[in-house]
Amino acid sequence: MAAESETFMALGLLDESSRGVSGTPRVLVLIASVLEKSLQKNEKLLSTSRRKDAITIFHGSRSPTLSIRQYIERVFKYSRCSTSCFVVAYIYINKFLQQTDAYLTSLNAHRLLITSIMVAAKFLEDECYDNAYYARIGGVSTAEMNRMEMKFLFNLDFRLHVTAEVFMNCCLKLENESGKYQNGQADPSLWPRRRPARQR
């Protein structure tokens, strides 16, 4: 339990004292870094190979102007949901990508983020804003937010429960990743990934 508490404290999940220079909890900075590296890797893979990305409801027509980190900071500021929601949202995004044939790219990352954070907040928080509010925060229409939520939930088979073990493992990987980022290394095992292609 002490080791878990230390991990949670280091990531900013238990108190407000471990915020970075920008005032953003460390865990959000790490999640943003992992997602940004993942989408850069995926976009490079898609541009240099014959692979096609599956177009989903989460794809926009162009990349948003906000970086993933700026977007996460915006959602955190206005949603007022706990940092734990962002960890669970990250876990949901991984599950979603494993269930679909889509890659995380700059065209879908922001919409996946706002949807997964809203779903996590609804599942975890005692009080939560409605879809219209999250749509305004995320820069989408309420109708789009509603459609994305339904698609997201059906792709997860409505299985939103995250065990304490899965949550802790994700936190440990993020904490481990923080040391690697400080040393200029990155661990690709943390990047959101797709399920391997099916054998035909």
Side-chain angles (χ1 to χ4, degrees):
M1 285 305 256
E4 289 176 6
S5 292
E6 286 177 26
T7 297
F8 293 157
M9 291 282 283
L11 293 174
L13 292 169
L14 293 181
D15 69 353
E16 305 298 310
S17 65
S18 62
R19 292 180 181 240
V21 176
S22 67
T24 304
R26 211 163 137 243
V27 69
L28 302 186
V29 174
L30 290 171
I31 290 170
S33 295
V34 169
L35 292 174
E36 285 172 348
K37 290 190 183 319
S38 176
L39 69 87
Q40 289 168 3
K41 180 191 106 192
N42 289 338
E43 288 177 345
K44 183 178 179 183
L45 175 73
L46 289 169
S47 70
T48 60
S49 71
R50 293 184 182 153
R51 295 180 187 183
K52 295 282 186 199
D53 190 14
I55 304 300
T56 68
I57 193 171
F58 299 98
H59 281 72
S61 56
R62 57 179 161 46
S63 300
T65 56
L66 291 177
S67 70
I68 296 293
R69 180 170 174 174
Q70 291 169 324
Y71 195 72
I72 285 176
E73 288 173 347
R74 175 182 168 76
V75 175
F76 179 69
K77 177 180 178 181
Y78 292 108
S79 70
R80 297 189 182 117
C81 60
S82 67
T83 51
S84 297
C85 284
F86 288 81
V87 175
V88 170
Y90 174 75
I91 292 167
Y92 288 168
I93 289 172
N94 273 306
K95 286 183 180 181
F96 176 85
L97 293 172
Q98 290 171 3
Q99 294 296 323
T100 64
D101 288 327
Y103 288 89
L104 187 71
T105 68
S106 59
L107 295 177
N108 65 12
H110 295 75
R111 288 169 178 241
L112 279 169
L113 268 170
I114 193 64
T115 306
S116 64
I117 293 165
M118 182 186 74
V119 167
K122 286 181 173 185
F123 190 74
L124 296 174
E125 303 287 311
D126 292 332
E127 295 180 14
C128 178
Y129 291 108
D130 63 12
N131 288 24
Y133 185 79
Y134 274 97
R136 281 193 302 277
I137 294 172
V140 297
S141 72
T142 303
E144 284 177 296
M145 188 81 253
N146 294 340
R147 286 191 303 271
M148 290 188 302
E149 178 186 30
M150 290 308 297
K151 181 68 172 172
F152 194 76
L153 289 169
F154 274 100
N155 275 289
L156 294 181
D157 294 325
F158 290 84
R159 293 181 181 163
L160 301 179
H161 178 71
V162 173
T163 66
E165 180 181 0
V166 169
F167 185 88
M168 186 62 201
N169 285 339
C170 183
C171 289
L172 288 170
K173 286 180 180 180
L174 286 168
E175 183 184 36
N176 184 40
E177 193 66 7
S178 70
K180 291 181 180 177
Y181 283 126
Q182 290 169 357
N183 295 330
Q185 302 169 345
D187 181 4
S189 71
L190 250 164
W191 296 342
R193 55 193 176 273
R194 297 180 357 161
R195 179 175 50 190
R198 295 182 192 108
Q199 297 284 328
R200 296 181 197 245

